[in-house]
Amino acid sequence: MKIAIKNIAGKDQGELEVKFPLVEGGKGTQAVHDTVTAYRAAQRSGTASTKKVGEVAGTNKKPWRQKGTGRARAGSFQSPLWVGGGVVFGPQPRDFAKQVSKKTKQLSLRKALSERLKAGDVVVVDDLKLNSPKTKEFAGLMSTLELTGTTLVVSTGNDKNLSLASRNIPTVALTTSDSLNTYDVLRPDKLLFTRSAFEKVSDRLTKE
């Protein structure tokens, strides 16, 4: 499969061969599901915490005598039945991380990128060097490339001008070819790669 390359003016600059083998049919669907589930689970902080009966501050003294008051029996101020008492089976700090094998991650990324390529959601430009960190310049570039929805920009490294120019546009996110993952590929409407970034991702998917 070949994909067209454009310059920042939106003009064609030839074609680029997709090196990695595309995933066809239903293969890789489960891998994508497992990888995205694991990624989202890893984003959870897992810090929710409640106090058990033994952790609530209070005295061990019996609230009132067992008989003769007309009230129900009570043996502790920390009872879960009382306001301010302990919580039964409440959440405790935990790690939500799930393990996914390297091969599964590789297959899921290849599957996700294959589907986006087939759908025509991937745009490759020869370079994305900006002359200044002005948002107006970057917004004009996005308009020229006809990228109107949510867009993920993938470059080979951290570009200061690109980062500063795009940070005020809420529909644009940045990442690098080394850190690109399945969730990143699936989330936006369009994917904007620099030529070098796309080649590095292709090498990743070919070697792994």
Side-chain angles (χ1 to χ4, degrees):
M1 181 179 183
K2 292 184 178 181
I3 183 171
I5 302 175
K6 298 181 179 181
N7 59 18
I8 56 177
K11 296 181 179 179
D12 290 336
Q13 297 291 305
E15 292 182 324
L16 180 66
E17 183 72 32
V18 178
K19 296 179 182 178
F20 64 90
L22 300 183
V23 182
E24 303 291 344
K27 181 182 178 182
T29 303
Q30 187 62 46
V32 170
H33 177 273
D34 292 344
T35 304
V36 171
T37 300
Y39 177 85
R40 297 191 66 184
Q43 306 307 304
R44 300 182 66 175
S45 59
T47 55
S49 180
T50 54
K51 289 184 178 181
K52 301 175 184 177
V53 173
E55 298 170 332
V56 177
T59 177
N60 289 327
K61 182 182 178 183
K62 194 171 173 64
W64 49 77
R65 67 180 189 268
Q66 183 82 346
K67 294 179 178 291
T69 64
R71 289 182 286 185
R73 293 170 292 186
S76 171
F77 285 99
Q78 295 95 320
S79 170
L81 302 178
W82 289 27
V83 174
V87 176
V88 180
F89 304 128
Q92 295 294 311
R94 56 171 290 194
D95 182 10
F96 286 94
K98 298 177 183 291
Q99 295 298 317
V100 179
S101 70
K102 187 177 180 181
K103 284 187 176 181
T104 301
K105 289 180 181 179
Q106 190 262 1
L107 175 59
S108 68
L109 180 56
R110 195 153 56 88
K111 171 68 173 178
L113 201 50
S114 295
E115 293 300 322
R116 300 312 298 268
L117 284 166
K118 293 174 195 173
D121 296 332
V122 178
V123 179
V124 179
V125 292
D126 54 356
D127 200 4
L128 260 181
K129 292 292 182 183
L130 300 179
N131 297 322
S132 67
K134 293 184 178 179
T135 301
K136 184 178 180 180
E137 180 182 350
F138 182 76
L141 185 153
M142 297 292 286
S143 178
T144 301
L145 296 174
E146 298 180 350
L147 299 173
T148 55
T150 55
T151 305
L152 177 69
V153 181
V154 187
S155 60
T156 52
N158 295 319
D159 186 311
K160 187 175 181 181
N161 280 354
L162 184 60
S163 177
L164 292 174
S166 63
R167 66 181 180 179
N168 286 333
I169 304 178
T171 57
V172 174
L174 299 182
T175 189
T176 63
S177 53
D178 292 332
S179 60
L180 183 69
N181 59 59
T182 305
Y183 187 72
D184 290 338
V185 172
L186 295 175
R187 194 175 184 189
D189 296 326
K190 296 288 184 179
L191 299 167
L192 176 61
F193 285 84
T194 62
R195 177 172 185 163
S196 56
F198 190 84
E199 288 175 340
K200 285 191 72 174
V201 172
S202 294
D203 291 339
R204 261 179 68 187
L205 297 178
T206 304
K207 292 177 182 178
E208 291 178 0

